[in-house]
Amino acid sequence: MICLGFQLRGFSQNLTQHWRVNVLVVRKIIGFVQIARSPLPRLTWCTGALLACLLCACDGPENQVAPSPSATVTHLNALVWAPDWPEQVHEIADAFHRAHPDIVVDVQFMIGNSVEENLKPKIATHHLPDIISVNANAYAAELADQGLLAELGDTPVWSNMIDKLKPDWTSQSGRHFGISGGIGAPLVYYNREMFQKAGISTLPGNFDQLLAVCAALKAAGFVPMAWTGAFPNMLANGPFSAGFANAVAARYPHDWKERIAGGRLRLDDPEAIDIFARIKLIAQRGYLQPGYMQTGYDEGIRWFSEGRAAMTIQGTWSAGQLMHGKDFHTGVFMPPWNAAHQQIVPVIGSETGFAVGETAHKEAALKFLNFLYDEGFPLQQNKRQNVSPLKHVKGPLINDPQIISYIEHAMRAPLTVGPYYSYLPTNTIARLHGLLQDVLFNRQTPRQAALALSDSIRDEARVDNK
């Protein structure tokens, strides 16, 4: 018997529209087949019929979706940055489909080291997804001013976003282009038991004290800190952002953003060069885990949560994994990248959020956006335990009191600086990632890296790149 092949996408749509099936099960099967499609690129009609029969026989009525026979199903394309919550994205998409059987959300995850490097090819080829992850920066604001992102100012979710975050998501022309994923801040998570065994009773309040803490931990036989050299996004979010806030923004508290936008910010002085020098110093002194330059995002989190490293610099968005370590208690403190005579400048701002594209499916995408921050929000927050960007949340939130206290304390500081992705031009973001790795691989000196970053800021301003 000859069995005719058919495309995976058509198979999933056929099942979703014409069979009473559990959409999550279909997605898992399709995901499995897509992973294995190199040796077996197509399902056959025979296999498809068998899967359909199995699904129909096994699925209970409580999870079934029964679209109207005459209904037209809208497929939304979602391009999502979710390195730490992919399963929850699918859960939210499936919950939305159960509430709206005529709308299916097809999820594609961003890869690489930044949101922007995923968006640029889509913009250049005029394939903007219906729902996209965006950062609260000049690049996304420019997309809104160009008419590529939908106006969100009249949506319920915009009204529900904390007012202090709204300026981050408003372009110069007044367009409201995105909703924050949370109030985000990089911070140092530390193992309280290791600190106690190393005789550390006082938390470090400046960079010299941090080095002394690392030395004490190493002398006690512990790995002082875990870094993710293979995922430079977190090197930039943590050590670089903290260094920039305390070495640069602290010296130009009133116009550092304008200096970046105008290309006038020079990073050729000792304080700016020291941003990279301090990153290299921590590595040179052996205060990091073995193979730190091959350590990715998830592995870096495990180094700390499994009790193999005494500290890590991660975001509040990872609190769900880092505040519940294996057989130890976790504490937090502000990254002390300041000099002894300085007050610490906190890094705090908006997490990566969501926007809606000006596409043919905008109205359906707006429905999903509102669902994402309404019924869907606890599905991701309870896993990540990040700090909500909303005034009111439908459902329970899970937060460690230490994280809430940290955020409240940071927001009261006289000067705060957002994460690096909120103020650097997009091409400079990519340049920074490479420079951080170059310094740690000894391919460039801290001075060379600082000058290269400075040149990138200047060059991007000359061509008005955001």
Side-chain angles (χ1 to χ4, degrees), residues 104-135:
V104 174
V105 181
D106 297 322
V107 177
Q108 177 185 355
F109 292 106
M110 293 181 173
I111 59 175
N113 292 311
S114 75
V115 167
E116 291 74 21
E117 71 182 75
N118 286 269
L119 290 179
K120 284 189 171 187
K122 299 292 185 181
I123 302 298
T125 57
H126 305 286
H127 287 95
L128 184 68
D130 304 300
I131 303 138
I132 54 175
S133 291
V134 294
N135 285 317

Side-chain angles (χ1 to χ4, degrees), residues 76-158:
L76 297 177
N77 294 313
L79 184 59
V80 181
W81 178 265
D84 54 347
W85 55 292
E87 292 181 7
Q88 286 69 34
V89 176
H90 282 305
E91 288 179 12
I92 294 169
D94 291 318
F96 176 76
H97 179 62
R98 289 193 293 271
H100 302 272
D102 58 332
I103 306 175
V104 174
V105 181
D106 297 322
V107 177
Q108 177 185 355
F109 292 106
M110 293 181 173
I111 59 175
N113 292 311
S114 75
V115 167
E116 291 74 21
E117 71 182 75
N118 286 269
L119 290 179
K120 284 189 171 187
K122 299 292 185 181
I123 302 298
T125 57
H126 305 286
H127 287 95
L128 184 68
D130 304 300
I131 303 138
I132 54 175
S133 291
V134 294
N135 285 317
N137 58 22
Y139 177 72
E142 181 66 17
L143 295 181
D145 286 342
Q146 292 175 5
L148 296 176
L149 303 183
E151 167 62 40
L152 302 180
D154 56 354
T155 62
V157 64
W158 178 269

Side-chain angles (χ1 to χ4, degrees), residues 40-59:
L40 183 60
R42 296 176 185 272
L43 286 175
T44 65
W45 279 106
C46 300
T47 309
L50 176 61
L51 285 173
C53 291
L54 289 172
L55 287 168
C56 292
C58 298
D59 191 41

Side-chain angles (χ1 to χ4, degrees), residues 164 185 245-246 249-250 253-254 256 334-335 338 342-349 404-418:
K164 193 168 184 177
N246 288 277
H254 304 297
W256 63 271
M334 198 169 290
N338 55 310
Q342 281 184 307
Q343 183 178 356
I344 299 180
V345 177
V347 177
I348 187 170
I404 298 300
S405 176
Y406 181 99
I407 292 295
E408 291 175 348
H409 175 71
M411 293 182 74
R412 289 195 297 267
L415 175 65
T416 62
V417 176

Side-chain angles (χ1 to χ4, degrees), residues 209-273:
Q209 292 176 0
L210 177 65
L211 293 177
V213 164
C214 288
L217 289 164
K218 185 178 181 181
F222 300 120
V223 172
M225 191 173 292
W227 279 6
T228 58
F231 187 66
N233 178 296
M234 277 314 304
L235 294 177
N237 264 317
F240 175 83
S241 290
F244 183 92
N246 288 277
V248 178
R251 286 187 293 143
Y252 309 110
H254 304 297
D255 67 344
W256 63 271
K257 287 184 179 180
E258 288 74 14
R259 288 171 181 259
I260 291 176
R264 296 179 289 107
L265 183 67
R266 297 301 299 165
L267 302 176
D268 53 3
D269 53 83
E271 290 81 4
I273 294 169

Side-chain angles (χ1 to χ4, degrees), residues 16-17 23 64-68 71-74 95-104:
T16 303
Q17 295 179 33
V23 177
Q64 292 176 354
V65 178
S68 168
T72 299
V73 176
T74 298
F96 176 76
H97 179 62
R98 289 193 293 271
H100 302 272
D102 58 332
I103 306 175
V104 174

